[in-house]
Amino acid sequence: GAVVSQHPSRVICKSGTSVKIECRSLDFQATTMFWYRQFPKQSLMLMATSNEGSKATYEQGVEKDKFLINHASLTLSTLTVTSAHPEDSSFYICSAPGGQGAYTEAFFGQGTRLTVV
Amino acid sequence: LAKTTQPISMDSYEGQEVNITCSHNNIATNDYITWYQQFPSQGPRFIIQGYKTKVTNEVASLFIPADRKSSTLSLPRVSLSDTAVYYCLVGDSYSNSGYALNFGKGTSLLVTP
């Protein structure tokens, strides 16, 4: 199947700094990618939709100025957590659809564990 | 809107068959039923998808009764490595484009020796 790769898999940063997470589709092109956040013992929460060549769309309650998304190419989307704080510590996961149409299989990255100290 | 209900957790011993049932009483005519698996500290991965009756692949089987108001994911002879969270998704688990997924709480399966 298709592969989505995230980098880094784990990052620790100081409070107030910014962290960039990359999401790459390795063997297919993705005009749309999705970013999720998952807190311990909880389900995945959709944060935003990343659109190649245009602005990302954010879910209600997600601060677009804090979570900057850039989708500069058909294989790369980045999520930058700006001015990170301990409450931003979470597991961030990206995904890309494997095709078009409803119910298409989604391919997920391995996730990035962010710890803000 | 279709809403899914799954057991929060299940326990099993190695070698047993595990059946996880998902209720979706308001499933729409065009909705498919999809299951994803998530290992600890990893992204989810697609397991199986079906519309009606029975679907089987190398990982699992999916049983869907005629009324489609529920579905059962069957994992044959589980091993310790099947310990994971299993998510059932239907209809409104998907965005309008069918791409983004809204995950419910899922079922946390623990397999022990």
Side-chain angles (χ1 to χ4, degrees):
Chain A
V3 177
V4 173
S5 178
Q6 263 183 261
H7 179 79
S9 59
R10 190 178 291 269
V11 58
I12 301 173
C13 71
K14 291 184 177 181
S15 185
T17 62
S18 296
V19 174
K20 179 185 286 188
I21 302 170
E22 294 186 347
C23 179
R24 295 180 184 273
S25 56
L26 296 186
D27 50 1
F28 67 106
Q29 294 181 334
T31 56
T32 303
M33 292 185 178
F34 303 96
W35 288 95
Y36 298 81
R37 180 168 53 182
Q38 185 175 34
F39 292 108
K41 303 294 185 183
Q42 294 187 24
S43 187
L44 289 81
M45 294 291 294
L46 179 64
M47 297 176 65
T49 301
S50 174
N51 303 297
E52 189 268 333
S54 64
K55 291 182 179 180
T57 54
Y58 292 80
E59 296 299 301
Q60 189 174 7
V62 177
E63 301 176 57
K64 61 180 182 180
D65 294 330
K66 182 171 184 60
F67 298 99
L68 301 180
I69 292 173
N70 184 273
H71 196 147
S73 77
L74 289 172
T75 59
L76 174 64
S77 174
T78 60
L79 169 68
T80 301
V81 183
T82 63
S83 186
H85 291 285
E87 57 265 30
D88 298 323
S89 297
S90 188
F91 191 53
Y92 292 86
I93 310 169
C94 69
S95 79
Q100 295 190 4
Y103 307 106
T104 190
E105 178 179 348
F107 296 97
F108 289 81
Q110 60 268 54
T112 298
R113 176 76 59 192
L114 170 63
T115 303
V116 184
V117 298
Chain B
L1 295 177
K3 177 182 177 181
T4 60
T5 303
Q6 309 173 231
I8 295 296
S9 64
M10 294 181 69
D11 296 329
S12 177
Y13 292 109
E14 276 190 296
Q16 291 187 328
E17 177 184 77
V18 171
N19 296 308
I20 305 174
T21 297
C22 177
S23 297
H24 28 79
N25 290 318
N26 296 324
I27 188 169
T29 302
N30 296 329
D31 288 343
Y32 278 74
I33 301 155
T34 311
W35 287 79
Y36 280 79
Q37 173 190 55
Q38 185 183 23
F39 296 117
S41 297
Q42 292 188 29
R45 71 165 186 146
F46 173 95
I47 302 178
I48 198 166
Q49 184 180 80
Y51 183 80
K52 62 180 180 180
T53 63
K54 176 184 175 182
V55 179
T56 298
N57 62 22
E58 65 277 6
V59 177
S61 293
L62 179 59
F63 297 93
I64 306 169
D67 66 6
R68 301 195 337 117
K69 292 184 183 299
S70 68
S71 58
T72 299
L73 175 72
S74 182
L75 305 172
R77 297 180 298 281
V78 295
S79 64
L80 298 178
S81 61
D82 291 315
T83 292
V85 178
Y86 293 83
Y87 297 96
C88 167
L89 292 87
V90 300
D92 69 338
S93 301
Y94 292 77
S95 68
N96 289 337
S97 66
Y99 298 158
L101 301 179
N102 291 309
F103 288 86
K105 296 184 185 301
T107 297
S108 179
L109 172 65
L110 175 63
V111 181
T112 55

